[in-house]
């Protein structure tokens, strides 16, 4: 939940004067996104999302994010589109913050995804990877294997408050991941945060993808590993191989995995689990008690990490060998 | 800012099945209201607000609030209207909470109201008082003079942490208010919380009133005193008599004040300042540090209280005697 910056009616009227959207009919802060302030804006021309970028989003990255959304939409991916101001730019400034207006996407995110949702997410992820292939602006992943240990150092002194032995377990896992992380898998633009709340559905059909503010260049199969973690575990922490199979089949129907990607998937899934374990652990230890932002349980991702540690091949994710033979 | 209860897509679909609104196109928690969870809901039939009532709103009061909004709208007051379910009821249940869908009002609230806004609020308040005159359901004010001392007792031990001497100043003021509070002024339905964020404007014209969840029966002039406090002070804490005059003139144009009401207004304004001082003081001392809900400064209302303590007559609010002579 966000909305950190308050905007006044005067701020808004001044900002909208630079656009061809008519006047504001309403503007309400919405409880979505954790990095930025988002407003649902209705004007005489329609419904939009107004985003104010807070400190954790670097202003120099905004051309990447905005350009990517335009690039993907031009290639058939349904995602929010930056609205251009009268001066042709998509990046403005309101209440002292960089700000954009993007189109509003209909859809509702599913809290308890089923098999069909997982298949569609697999398909959409492959389509996103294809569509992003020729996007020209680069952006390094700021949360990849080399960044995890420095991030962990910030939480390490207090990690065992969350679970006795946690610090040692993370250190051993980091040793393994750093030693074995792949170097030469197919790379491209990845979403890097395609959790359930970033995928909209209408009537059971995937209707759009949102929140590209972690998107970057990295291994495409790592994005798939993130989605397996985000979508295919049950509330009781069991991996649902039927959902895994659906997601992988959906992905493979649009983009085949190489042998190296297939072999690396369990390790990528461990790495993905580590990345979210570490950011959640940090937030868990630093977010004040009672803050309205809902703290996400870091141990959910420790359990996922442990599951993947026991996985020998992609077959454990529900996909029989004949389905992915290259 | 609110949104305490999360609702799933399944909860929402089940709830909407009881209404003739089509399916949900989107549903986003909005950062408005502090007592309840509010969602901006778009369905195939339009845009609505879905409210889930949290613990601080008593379920037995809901027929008063919902009935009042219908009653006022039928008499020309623009306010949200409860949408009836197929079974004819306006009060349902979702995710374990009482819930209603109300119509969406266009408009933006003004952060820095001008003279014209104040005049229009005065007119709208008088119109609300007239329209509420024949509303049949009673609801006592839970935050009137007799409730202030018990509320203060909860904060008293720590009040001087906020300002040295604050506890003694409040006690002396409570003694005065309890001894002099009027007993026989004209009564009726009051909004009781008509702050700037509860009044919408479009193109400079008042377009609607929202948030009736503090509405109750009390002195009508007390509601006017609340509005003088909420709208007519400048950020530097000075009372703006031009705005005061505009608000009072706007009110008087629709509903004359009796001599007793006119005479009582400075005391009612002191009481209104005390009421908000006390709830803000309590929240200030009990809301955890770092919570995303924005704490409101109790001392803003101490300053207002002190101003009214020095007021001898309604003339100090900007209205020359010839304007309100009965």
């Amino acid at each position: 939940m966000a909305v950190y910056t308050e905007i006044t009616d005067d701020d808004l009227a001044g900002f909208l004067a630079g656009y061809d959207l008519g006047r504001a009919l309403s503007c309400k802060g919405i409880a979505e996104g954790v990095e930025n302030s988002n407003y649902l804006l209705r004007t005489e021309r329609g419904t939009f999302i107004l985003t104010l970028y807070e400190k954790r989003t670097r202003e120099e990255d905004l051309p990447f994010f905005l350009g990517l959304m335009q690039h993907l939409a031009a290639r058939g991916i349904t995602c929010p589109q930056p609205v251009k101001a009268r001066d042709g730019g998509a990046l403005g400034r309101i209440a002292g913050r960089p700000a954009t207006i993007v189109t509003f996407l209909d859809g509702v995110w599913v809290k308890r995804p089923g098999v069909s949702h997982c298949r569609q997410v697999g398909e959409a992820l492959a389509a996103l990877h294809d569509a992003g292939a020729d996007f020209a602006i680069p952006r390094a992943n700021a949360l990849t294997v080399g960044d995890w240990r420095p991030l962990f150092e910030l939480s390490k002194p207090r990690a065992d408050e969350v679970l006795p032995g946690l610090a040692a377990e993370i250190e051993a896992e980091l040793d393994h991941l750093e030693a074995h992380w792949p170097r030469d898998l197919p790379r491209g633009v990845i979403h890097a945060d395609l959790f359930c709340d970033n995928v909209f559905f209408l009537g059971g059909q995937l209707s759009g993808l949102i929140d590209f503010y972690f998107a970057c260049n990295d291994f495409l199969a790592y994005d798939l590993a993130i989605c397996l973690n985000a979508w295919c575990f049950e509330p009781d922490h069991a991996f649902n191989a039927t959902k895994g199979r659906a997601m992988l089949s959906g992905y493979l129907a649009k983009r085949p995995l190489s042998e190296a990607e297939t072999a690396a998937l369990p390790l990528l899934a461990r790495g993905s689990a580590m990345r979210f374990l570490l950011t959640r652990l940090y937030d868990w230890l630093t977010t004040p008690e009672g803050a309205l932002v809902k703290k996400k349980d870091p141990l959910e991702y420790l359990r996922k990490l442990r599951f993947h540690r026991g996985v020998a091949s992609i077959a454990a994710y529900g996909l029989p060998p004949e389905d992915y033979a290259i």
Side-chain angles (χ1 to χ4, degrees), chain A:
Chain A
M1 138 161 6
V3 186
Y4 299 102
T5 299
E6 248 186 58
I7 52 179
T8 69
D9 51 315
D10 290 337
D11 290 337
L12 182 60
F15 185 70
L16 280 180
Y19 289 81
D20 191 27
L21 295 175
R23 63 180 181 169
L25 298 181
S26 73
C27 185
K28 298 192 187 294
I30 57 175
E32 300 205 354
V34 290
E35 300 289 320
N36 300 312
S37 303
N38 289 300
Y39 295 81
L40 203 157
L41 170 68
R42 285 157 53 93
T43 79
E44 289 171 325
R45 299 283 185 283
T47 302
F48 305 90
I49 298 286
L50 167 64
T51 299
L52 275 62
Y53 300 100
E54 304 293 342
K55 285 166 196 156
R56 284 175 72 168
T57 301
R58 297 189 317 160
E59 197 161 350
E60 58 266 37
D61 284 333
L62 293 175
F64 173 89
F65 301 133
L66 300 177
L68 178 61
M69 291 190 274
Q70 292 173 311
H71 180 95
L72 294 174
R75 283 151 187 81
I77 306 293
T78 306
C79 62
Q81 287 306 286
V83 175
K84 289 194 175 154
R86 289 211 176 92
D87 65 7
L91 181 60
R93 190 164 275 272
I94 182 170
R97 295 258 184 276
T100 53
I101 295 173
V102 300
T103 54
F104 182 87
L105 284 194
D106 277 339
V108 178
W109 66 272
V110 292
K111 179 102 179 174
R112 298 190 197 92
V115 173
S116 164
H117 300 111
C118 292
R119 181 182 314 276
Q120 294 180 68
V121 169
E123 292 167 356
L125 190 71
L128 185 154
H129 291 168
D130 278 349
D134 59 342
F135 183 58
I137 309 177
R139 179 173 185 260
N141 187 351
L143 282 170
T144 187
V145 61
D147 308 296
W148 297 335
R149 197 176 292 266
L151 176 57
F152 174 56
E153 293 298 326
L154 303 176
S155 305
K156 189 171 156 184
R158 294 182 52 207
D160 283 12
E161 292 175 24
V162 178
L163 184 77
L166 182 59
E169 183 168 353
I170 290 176
E171 289 224 288
E173 183 70 22
L174 285 174
D175 291 343
H176 181 86
L177 290 169
E178 286 168 358
H180 297 90
W181 197 247
R183 299 184 178 278
D184 55 359
L185 297 177
R187 302 173 63 87
V189 172
I190 68 169
H191 184 285
D193 196 38
L194 202 58
F195 280 62
C196 297
D197 54 344
N198 288 332
V199 182
F200 287 171
F201 290 87
L202 273 178
Q205 297 303 304
L206 193 150
S207 61
L209 309 177
I210 65 164
D211 200 348
F212 288 79
Y213 298 108
F214 285 98
C216 57
N217 301 116
D218 206 336
F219 302 141
L220 300 177
Y222 178 64
D223 220 8
L224 183 56
I226 290 171
C227 287
L228 285 170
N229 277 327
W231 291 81
C232 301
F233 284 85
E234 296 300 313
D236 68 358
H237 312 298
F239 184 82
N240 182 323
T242 306
K243 292 181 180 173
R245 179 177 187 158
M247 178 171 283
L248 291 168
S249 302
Y251 189 90
L252 288 167
K254 300 246 177 192
R255 178 180 173 268
L257 290 175
S258 71
E259 205 169 333
E261 287 178 299
T262 304
L265 203 61
L267 189 75
L268 296 174
R270 283 168 72 166
S272 151
M274 175 62 79
R275 173 253 182 271
F276 290 100
L277 166 58
L278 291 176
T279 48
R280 287 186 176 195
L281 178 64
Y282 177 80
D283 291 344
W284 190 267
L285 293 172
T286 56
T287 304
E289 282 306 317
L292 277 182
V293 63
K294 196 173 171 184
K295 292 201 224 187
K296 292 175 179 164
D297 182 8
L299 298 182
E300 177 191 336
Y301 268 82
L302 178 67
R303 291 194 190 90
K304 291 177 179 179
L305 198 165
R306 288 174 176 170
F307 170 80
H308 296 300
R309 213 186 272 147
V311 165
S313 86
I314 194 173
Y317 300 136
L319 204 66
E322 63 272 22
D323 280 15
Y324 61 88
I326 308 289

